[in-house]
Amino acid sequence: MVLYYGVSTWNSWFRASAILRDREMYPLQVILREILLQNDVSSMSSGAGAADAESIAMSIKYATIMVATVPILCVYPFLQKYFTKGTMVGAVKE
């Protein structure tokens, strides 16, 4: 239960975006969401073609996915033995 609660808390952005108005207090997930929604690559790709701008936009998207996913992937191996033990507690043995 702790693992599922931790992942849901890590990924929650709606409550923070609805309540907080001060940008300095935004959690990481709200900032990553803003980056994905803005995805303004015109300043970074001056003089580049449309294909290059699309490539930069996809790179930004993949980077935000990695920033959101890597911390959970780093914590999971340490909690894995408890996770599998908890799921096997309710198993029926014959």
Side-chain angles (χ1 to χ4, degrees):
M1 292 298 289
V2 172
L3 181 65
Y4 288 126
Y5 180 76
V7 170
S8 73
T9 302
W10 176 255
N11 290 328
S12 65
W13 57 268
F14 181 74
R15 184 172 182 192
S17 65
I19 295 173
L20 296 175
R21 296 293 171 225
D22 186 15
R23 186 171 171 78
E24 293 179 8
M25 297 185 69
Y26 279 176
L28 178 65
Q29 300 302 335
V30 176
I31 293 171
L32 293 176
R33 182 177 178 274
E34 283 184 356
I35 290 170
L36 286 176
L37 291 177
Q38 289 175 358
N39 208 1
D40 184 23
V41 295
S42 60
S43 63
M44 290 186 281
S45 61
S46 59
D52 291 334
E54 186 175 331
S55 174
I56 293 171
M58 292 302 286
S59 296
I60 291 172
K61 181 194 289 187
Y62 294 143
T64 56
I65 290 170
M66 291 303 295
V67 167
T69 306
V70 167
I72 297 297
L73 292 176
C74 291
V75 170
Y76 181 73
F78 299 109
L79 299 177
Q80 184 178 8
K81 68 178 179 180
Y82 302 112
F83 182 70
T84 55
K85 188 186 299 183
T87 57
M88 297 306 284
V89 166
V92 178
K93 296 180 183 177
E94 289 190 38

